Amino acid sequence: MLYEKGFKKPFKEIRSRLRISFVAIARECIGNHIRKQLLRSSTSTVAYYRAASVGQTKKCFIAKLSIAIGECDESLFWIEFLADENLLQPKGYEAVYKEAK
């Protein structure tokens, strides 16, 4: 299983660091919306990657991995949005942003 062979730990670490960063996001209407979007896209990245690793065909693997990449890109979008709107301090997202990029 590809997920178990070396990518499990990095993906789980990213997910954990993002979860910690959620606490720092402003608790206002827009902050709540972005928090939910970022949580959804970041956890979907891991879920689709895991699904790809157990895909029974090459076509299935590629399809699931493509979705995982899209979800990861969406997470990057929300992190950039938080940064641009000054809703999260750089120490809350810089490390995970660099790793996800």
Side-chain angles (χ1 to χ4, degrees), residues 8-75:
K8 184 176 184 176
K9 185 178 178 192
F11 276 105
K12 283 189 172 190
E13 288 173 2
I14 290 171
R15 181 186 62 197
S16 294
R17 284 199 304 268
L18 279 171
R19 184 181 48 79
I20 292 166
S21 297
F22 294 142
V23 176
I25 298 171
R27 292 200 178 272
E28 53 193 53
C29 185
I30 193 154
N32 286 332
H33 173 72
I34 295 168
R35 184 183 297 108
K36 290 175 186 176
Q37 291 295 105
L38 183 55
L39 179 61
R40 186 202 56 74
S41 62
S42 63
T43 54
S44 290
T45 299
V46 178
Y48 276 110
Y49 186 82
R50 184 178 180 140
S53 71
V54 296
Q56 295 179 347
T57 65
K58 186 175 182 178
K59 186 177 179 179
C60 181
F61 172 78
I62 292 169
K64 297 290 185 183
L65 192 59
S66 295
I67 296 170
I69 291 167
E71 293 293 331
C72 187
D73 184 61
E74 182 180 340
S75 296

Side-chain angles (χ1 to χ4, degrees), residues 75-87:
S75 296
L76 290 172
F77 166 79
W78 289 116
I79 293 169
E80 289 169 359
F81 186 88
L82 288 167
D84 292 345
E85 298 299 318
N86 296 317
L87 295 172

